[in-house]
Amino acid sequence: MAAPARHVPKQKKLDESDELLEDQQINLELVESLQMELDQLNEQASDEILRVEQKYNQLRKPHFHRRSDAIERIPDFWLNVFLNHPQICPLIDDKDEDALISLRRLEVEEFEDIKSGYRINFVFDENPYFTNKVISKEFILNEHGEPSLRATEIKWRENMDLTQVEDNVKDSRKRPRESQSFFCWFSNDDMGAIDDLAEVIKDDLWTNPLQYFLVNEISLSVEDDAEDGVHEGEEENGEDSDIEVEDGAIYVEAIGSEGEEEEDFPEDYEEGDDEEVVVVEEEDEDEEDDEDDEGLEDEEFEEDKPYEEAGENVEGDEDVA
């Protein structure tokens, strides 16, 4: 017979439940306290990182200026950088290219308080599209972390506004532009894709533009090296051939590498058909040996002939006698 179930007083169950809840509450408060300490450390780290970044931004400035001076002496540098960048190139059409040829200098300036934003400056030479020498776009964060934009108004020359949907030339045969101009980026206040483009310019393109300028040269160099390797492989593995015609038969003479014996093959020779290989040199040697042997026999015959004639004469004399 089974033992009767032990009865647990209801009050005891409530006490155990209260203890578990109390223990859980204590641990939750401990986790919260530790998390607050971690947040304070993270804030201190952020402040120190900002101070270090500000310090090195000042140290980088003279190098950036010297680099920009050198870039100005390289024709179409920034245009090629834009066209070789995978994220910026799709935003540029033929009309934009004509205008960006005059882009002489690009600079990114971070504000003294890094957290407050930065400015991107485009410096242009004289061009047929607009009169601005400098076009800038600023990305600003206020004390509450709310972003805002501010850009230079582009002063387009008459009938040369690239941001217009229709082509500027008054010709009914002209088609509408299939995409927006790159220069629409300066007048667009949308903080979505625009902010992404600004971040690409600031954090990728500006930090090392040379890698995108040299993309084509690196690709061509790799292709040339690959072609050279193919040609070298063909020279090592390939063989030249000469064709000879002898006694109405056509022979192909394969010329291998130095030190290898040369063999002649008939024109109808196929790879793997070793039994039908005709070695011209061996046949020639055999024919020459046969001719030499015949020559020797003829010489011996000529040498023996006088003696035979002499012997016949002796016998004839004896008969006469």
Side-chain angles (χ1 to χ4, degrees):
M1 182 175 178
R6 184 180 176 184
H7 176 69
V8 179
K10 185 175 181 180
Q11 184 62 38
K12 188 173 183 180
K13 288 183 178 180
L14 292 174
D15 292 341
E16 291 177 355
S17 178
D18 291 340
E19 289 178 2
L20 290 173
L21 289 174
E22 184 178 353
D23 185 59
Q24 179 177 332
Q25 184 63 32
I26 292 172
N27 286 311
L28 285 174
E29 292 176 357
L30 177 60
V31 170
E32 183 179 4
S33 175
L34 293 171
Q35 188 61 49
M36 291 177 62
E37 293 177 5
L38 288 171
D39 291 342
Q40 291 176 357
L41 289 174
N42 289 336
E43 289 179 4
Q44 292 177 10
S46 298
D47 293 338
E48 291 184 12
I49 290 171
L50 284 174
R51 285 195 294 270
V52 171
E53 188 64 27
Q54 287 173 336
K55 172 186 175 181
Y56 281 93
N57 278 346
Q58 295 300 320
L59 294 175
R60 293 187 191 105
K61 277 186 178 180
H63 297 279
F64 282 140
H65 286 306
R66 291 174 58 193
R67 188 186 70 180
S68 295
D69 292 341
I71 286 175
E72 285 189 40
R73 297 190 288 270
I74 302 175
D76 304 334
F77 179 89
W78 287 111
L79 173 61
N80 285 290
V81 168
F82 284 177
L83 293 178
N84 290 334
H85 195 286
Q87 293 172 270
I88 299 178
C89 179
L91 305 176
I92 298 173
D93 62 14
D94 294 340
K95 296 277 188 183
D96 295 330
E97 285 188 40
D98 294 340
L100 289 171
I101 286 176
S102 60
L103 179 59
R104 174 166 50 92
R105 197 179 188 101
L106 184 146
E107 293 180 333
V108 175
E109 297 179 2
E110 295 200 65
F111 299 151
E112 187 174 351
D113 181 4
I114 297 177
K115 293 186 293 184
S116 62
Y118 57 92
R119 179 188 301 109
I120 302 176
N121 296 322
F122 294 75
V123 182
F124 289 88
D125 289 325
E126 186 75 17
N127 65 82
Y129 291 94
F130 44 80
T131 60
N132 305 71
K133 297 299 182 184
V134 180
I135 302 176
S136 302
K137 189 155 191 177
E138 295 181 0
F139 298 84
I140 306 166
L141 291 175
N142 61 22
E143 57 184 3
H144 302 293
E146 298 172 348
S148 61
L149 299 175
R150 186 165 55 205
T152 303
E153 180 184 357
I154 301 177
K155 298 177 181 178
W156 297 101
R157 298 183 188 275
E158 186 177 0
N159 296 327
M160 299 303 289
D161 188 349
L162 298 179
T163 63
Q164 296 297 316
V165 177
E166 298 284 340
D167 282 336
N168 295 312
V169 180
K170 295 182 179 179
D171 189 342
S172 59
R173 294 172 297 176
K174 294 289 184 179
R175 294 182 301 172
R177 299 184 66 160
E178 296 180 357
S179 61
Q180 283 191 339
S181 167
F182 171 80
F183 290 91
C184 290
W185 176 70
F186 291 98
S187 57
N188 197 331
D189 295 332
D190 184 9
M191 287 298 299
I194 295 199
D195 185 70
D196 292 339
L197 177 56
E199 292 296 317
V200 167
I201 294 175
K202 180 175 77 74
D203 296 332
D204 183 20
L205 189 143
W206 167 248
T207 55
N208 185 9
L210 188 61
Q211 62 180 326
Y212 295 106
F213 182 79
L214 298 176
V215 165
N216 291 334
E217 295 184 12
I218 294 173
S219 299
L220 291 174
S221 176
V222 171
E223 291 176 1
D224 292 340
D225 292 342
E227 290 179 0
D228 293 341
V230 171
H231 292 321
E232 290 177 1
E234 291 176 351
E235 292 176 358
E236 292 176 358
N237 299 326
E239 294 182 344
D240 298 331
S241 62
D242 291 338
I243 299 177
E244 295 183 357
V245 179
E246 184 178 346
D247 296 333
I250 299 177
Y251 296 91
V252 180
E253 182 180 0
I255 303 176
S257 57
E258 296 183 0
E260 295 181 356
E261 296 183 1
E262 299 178 358
E263 296 182 358
D264 295 339
F265 302 95
E267 188 182 29
D268 58 350
Y269 169 72
E270 295 182 359
E271 186 176 354
D273 196 1
D274 297 337
E275 295 180 357
E276 296 182 8
V277 175
V278 179
V279 181
V280 177
E281 293 182 359
E282 292 182 0
E283 288 187 356
D284 292 342
E285 291 177 359
D286 293 341
E287 290 178 0
E288 291 176 0
D289 292 342
D290 293 341
E291 291 176 358
D292 293 341
D293 293 341
E294 292 177 0
L296 291 173
E297 291 177 358
D298 292 341
E299 290 178 0
E300 291 177 356
F301 177 78
E302 294 294 333
E303 290 176 357
D304 294 341
K305 189 174 182 181
Y307 294 101
E308 292 177 357
E309 293 177 353
E312 291 178 355
N313 293 333
V314 173
E315 291 176 359
D317 294 341
E318 290 178 352
D319 294 338
V320 172

mmCIF file of all heavy atoms in Angstrom, residues 13 31 62 67 74 78 95 108 121 130 175 185 224 242 263 268 302 306:
data_model
loop_
_atom_site.group_PDB
_atom_site.id
_atom_site.type_symbol
_atom_site.label_atom_id
_atom_site.label_comp_id
_atom_site.label_asym_id
_atom_site.label_seq_id
_atom_site.Cartn_x
_atom_site.Cartn_y
_atom_site.Cartn_z
ATOM 1 N N LYS A 13 4.943 27.208 1.688
ATOM 2 C CA LYS A 13 5.158 27.412 0.257
ATOM 3 C C LYS A 13 5.264 28.892 -0.064
ATOM 4 O O LYS A 13 6.094 29.325 -0.845
ATOM 5 C CB LYS A 13 3.996 26.805 -0.526
ATOM 6 C CG LYS A 13 3.984 25.294 -0.543
ATOM 7 C CD LYS A 13 2.836 24.804 -1.411
ATOM 8 C CE LYS A 13 2.838 23.273 -1.478
ATOM 9 N NZ LYS A 13 1.732 22.771 -2.327
ATOM 10 N N VAL A 31 23.016 43.426 -10.887
ATOM 11 C CA VAL A 31 23.292 43.529 -12.327
ATOM 12 C C VAL A 31 23.108 44.965 -12.800
ATOM 13 O O VAL A 31 23.920 45.493 -13.569
ATOM 14 C CB VAL A 31 22.374 42.572 -13.116
ATOM 15 C CG1 VAL A 31 22.483 42.843 -14.621
ATOM 16 C CG2 VAL A 31 22.728 41.121 -12.811
ATOM 17 N N PRO A 62 48.663 68.718 -41.539
ATOM 18 C CA PRO A 62 49.715 69.119 -42.494
ATOM 19 C C PRO A 62 49.973 68.067 -43.572
ATOM 20 O O PRO A 62 50.281 68.408 -44.720
ATOM 21 C CB PRO A 62 50.949 69.324 -41.596
ATOM 22 C CG PRO A 62 50.640 68.631 -40.318
ATOM 23 C CD PRO A 62 49.170 68.675 -40.156
ATOM 24 N N ARG A 67 49.399 66.420 -49.190
ATOM 25 C CA ARG A 67 48.867 65.438 -50.141
ATOM 26 C C ARG A 67 47.953 66.114 -51.158
ATOM 27 O O ARG A 67 48.012 65.830 -52.366
ATOM 28 C CB ARG A 67 48.105 64.345 -49.391
ATOM 29 C CG ARG A 67 47.685 63.175 -50.285
ATOM 30 C CD ARG A 67 46.822 62.189 -49.535
ATOM 31 N NE ARG A 67 45.490 62.729 -49.242
ATOM 32 C CZ ARG A 67 44.546 62.051 -48.592
ATOM 33 N NH1 ARG A 67 44.781 60.833 -48.143
ATOM 34 N NH2 ARG A 67 43.364 62.603 -48.371
ATOM 35 N N ILE A 74 48.172 66.276 -60.467
ATOM 36 C CA ILE A 74 47.858 65.047 -61.211
ATOM 37 C C ILE A 74 46.548 65.278 -61.964
ATOM 38 O O ILE A 74 45.497 65.458 -61.336
ATOM 39 C CB ILE A 74 47.716 63.839 -60.270
ATOM 40 C CG1 ILE A 74 49.009 63.640 -59.467
ATOM 41 C CG2 ILE A 74 47.382 62.577 -61.055
ATOM 42 C CD1 ILE A 74 48.904 62.539 -58.413
ATOM 43 N N TRP A 78 40.749 63.297 -59.075
ATOM 44 C CA TRP A 78 39.523 63.025 -58.314
ATOM 45 C C TRP A 78 38.431 62.430 -59.196
ATOM 46 O O TRP A 78 37.639 61.600 -58.738
ATOM 47 C CB TRP A 78 39.033 64.302 -57.621
ATOM 48 C CG TRP A 78 39.878 64.681 -56.456
ATOM 49 C CD1 TRP A 78 40.713 65.764 -56.342
ATOM 50 C CD2 TRP A 78 40.001 63.957 -55.225
ATOM 51 N NE1 TRP A 78 41.341 65.760 -55.128
ATOM 52 C CE2 TRP A 78 40.924 64.657 -54.418
ATOM 53 C CE3 TRP A 78 39.442 62.789 -54.730
ATOM 54 C CZ2 TRP A 78 41.285 64.232 -53.142
ATOM 55 C CZ3 TRP A 78 39.797 62.351 -53.456
ATOM 56 C CH2 TRP A 78 40.702 63.072 -52.679
ATOM 57 N N LYS A 95 27.361 63.687 -68.176
ATOM 58 C CA LYS A 95 27.351 65.136 -67.925
ATOM 59 C C LYS A 95 28.127 65.468 -66.648
ATOM 60 O O LYS A 95 28.866 66.449 -66.579
ATOM 61 C CB LYS A 95 25.912 65.629 -67.802
ATOM 62 C CG LYS A 95 25.091 65.489 -69.070
ATOM 63 C CD LYS A 95 25.329 66.644 -69.990
ATOM 64 C CE LYS A 95 24.371 66.613 -71.174
ATOM 65 N NZ LYS A 95 24.639 67.710 -72.121
ATOM 66 N N VAL A 108 38.105 67.040 -46.426
ATOM 67 C CA VAL A 108 37.145 66.758 -45.354
ATOM 68 C C VAL A 108 37.668 67.438 -44.088
ATOM 69 O O VAL A 108 38.801 67.183 -43.662
ATOM 70 C CB VAL A 108 36.980 65.243 -45.120
ATOM 71 C CG1 VAL A 108 36.078 64.989 -43.912
ATOM 72 C CG2 VAL A 108 36.405 64.570 -46.358
ATOM 73 N N ASN A 121 34.494 69.771 -48.578
ATOM 74 C CA ASN A 121 34.695 70.872 -49.522
ATOM 75 C C ASN A 121 35.122 70.337 -50.888
ATOM 76 O O ASN A 121 36.041 69.514 -50.986
ATOM 77 C CB ASN A 121 35.781 71.828 -49.013
ATOM 78 C CG ASN A 121 35.384 72.507 -47.715
ATOM 79 O OD1 ASN A 121 34.225 72.873 -47.515
ATOM 80 N ND2 ASN A 121 36.346 72.683 -46.818
ATOM 81 N N PHE A 130 29.075 75.917 -63.739
ATOM 82 C CA PHE A 130 28.689 76.802 -62.631
ATOM 83 C C PHE A 130 29.847 77.734 -62.306
ATOM 84 O O PHE A 130 30.995 77.517 -62.731
ATOM 85 C CB PHE A 130 28.283 75.989 -61.388
ATOM 86 C CG PHE A 130 29.203 74.850 -61.073
ATOM 87 C CD1 PHE A 130 30.416 75.051 -60.411
ATOM 88 C CD2 PHE A 130 28.870 73.551 -61.440
ATOM 89 C CE1 PHE A 130 31.265 74.000 -60.122
ATOM 90 C CE2 PHE A 130 29.714 72.485 -61.154
ATOM 91 C CZ PHE A 130 30.909 72.708 -60.495
ATOM 92 N N ARG A 175 16.680 63.010 -75.084
ATOM 93 C CA ARG A 175 15.930 62.184 -74.140
ATOM 94 C C ARG A 175 16.112 62.694 -72.715
ATOM 95 O O ARG A 175 17.146 63.284 -72.395
ATOM 96 C CB ARG A 175 16.416 60.735 -74.208
ATOM 97 C CG ARG A 175 16.122 60.062 -75.532
ATOM 98 C CD ARG A 175 16.591 58.628 -75.477
ATOM 99 N NE ARG A 175 18.019 58.556 -75.192
ATOM 100 C CZ ARG A 175 18.653 57.418 -74.934
ATOM 101 N NH1 ARG A 175 18.003 56.280 -74.891
ATOM 102 N NH2 ARG A 175 19.953 57.416 -74.693
ATOM 103 N N TRP A 185 23.057 65.698 -54.929
ATOM 104 C CA TRP A 185 23.437 65.383 -53.545
ATOM 105 C C TRP A 185 23.618 66.647 -52.702
ATOM 106 O O TRP A 185 23.377 66.651 -51.502
ATOM 107 C CB TRP A 185 24.724 64.557 -53.576
ATOM 108 C CG TRP A 185 25.293 64.223 -52.237
ATOM 109 C CD1 TRP A 185 24.774 63.367 -51.322
ATOM 110 C CD2 TRP A 185 26.504 64.726 -51.684
ATOM 111 N NE1 TRP A 185 25.600 63.297 -50.215
ATOM 112 C CE2 TRP A 185 26.672 64.132 -50.425
ATOM 113 C CE3 TRP A 185 27.468 65.617 -52.135
ATOM 114 C CZ2 TRP A 185 27.760 64.393 -49.606
ATOM 115 C CZ3 TRP A 185 28.559 65.873 -51.331
ATOM 116 C CH2 TRP A 185 28.689 65.269 -50.073
ATOM 117 N N ASP A 224 48.769 41.785 -67.349
ATOM 118 C CA ASP A 224 50.031 41.619 -68.066
ATOM 119 C C ASP A 224 50.841 40.474 -67.491
ATOM 120 O O ASP A 224 51.429 39.680 -68.228
ATOM 121 C CB ASP A 224 50.846 42.915 -68.011
ATOM 122 C CG ASP A 224 50.182 44.027 -68.814
ATOM 123 O OD1 ASP A 224 49.345 43.697 -69.677
ATOM 124 O OD2 ASP A 224 50.516 45.200 -68.578
ATOM 125 N N ASP A 242 59.391 22.333 -88.488
ATOM 126 C CA ASP A 242 59.765 22.631 -89.854
ATOM 127 C C ASP A 242 59.193 21.555 -90.753
ATOM 128 O O ASP A 242 59.122 20.381 -90.366
ATOM 129 C CB ASP A 242 61.290 22.678 -90.009
ATOM 130 C CG ASP A 242 61.875 23.878 -89.283
ATOM 131 O OD1 ASP A 242 61.105 24.832 -89.051
ATOM 132 O OD2 ASP A 242 63.072 23.844 -88.949
ATOM 133 N N GLU A 263 63.401 14.352 -84.305
ATOM 134 C CA GLU A 263 62.762 13.258 -85.009
ATOM 135 C C GLU A 263 61.866 13.814 -86.100
ATOM 136 O O GLU A 263 61.290 14.885 -85.946
ATOM 137 C CB GLU A 263 61.922 12.421 -84.043
ATOM 138 C CG GLU A 263 62.758 11.736 -82.979
ATOM 139 C CD GLU A 263 61.895 10.888 -82.078
ATOM 140 O OE1 GLU A 263 60.658 10.892 -82.276
ATOM 141 O OE2 GLU A 263 62.450 10.218 -81.208
ATOM 142 N N ASP A 268 50.896 12.460 -92.124
ATOM 143 C CA ASP A 268 49.676 11.792 -91.667
ATOM 144 C C ASP A 268 49.867 11.108 -90.330
ATOM 145 O O ASP A 268 49.036 10.315 -89.920
ATOM 146 C CB ASP A 268 49.221 10.761 -92.705
ATOM 147 C CG ASP A 268 50.310 9.719 -92.990
ATOM 148 O OD1 ASP A 268 51.467 9.928 -92.510
ATOM 149 O OD2 ASP A 268 50.027 8.740 -93.663
ATOM 150 N N GLU A 302 86.438 -4.311 -109.558
ATOM 151 C CA GLU A 302 87.340 -3.680 -110.508
ATOM 152 C C GLU A 302 88.775 -4.087 -110.235
ATOM 153 O O GLU A 302 89.589 -4.240 -111.141
ATOM 154 C CB GLU A 302 87.204 -2.154 -110.430
ATOM 155 C CG GLU A 302 85.847 -1.617 -110.892
ATOM 156 C CD GLU A 302 85.649 -1.856 -112.373
ATOM 157 O OE1 GLU A 302 86.664 -1.940 -113.093
ATOM 158 O OE2 GLU A 302 84.481 -1.954 -112.792
ATOM 159 N N PRO A 306 91.485 -7.048 -113.492
ATOM 160 C CA PRO A 306 92.763 -7.137 -114.254
ATOM 161 C C PRO A 306 93.449 -8.493 -114.077
ATOM 162 O O PRO A 306 94.015 -9.026 -114.995
ATOM 163 C CB PRO A 306 93.598 -6.003 -113.676
ATOM 164 C CG PRO A 306 92.590 -5.040 -113.151
ATOM 165 C CD PRO A 306 91.468 -5.881 -112.646
#
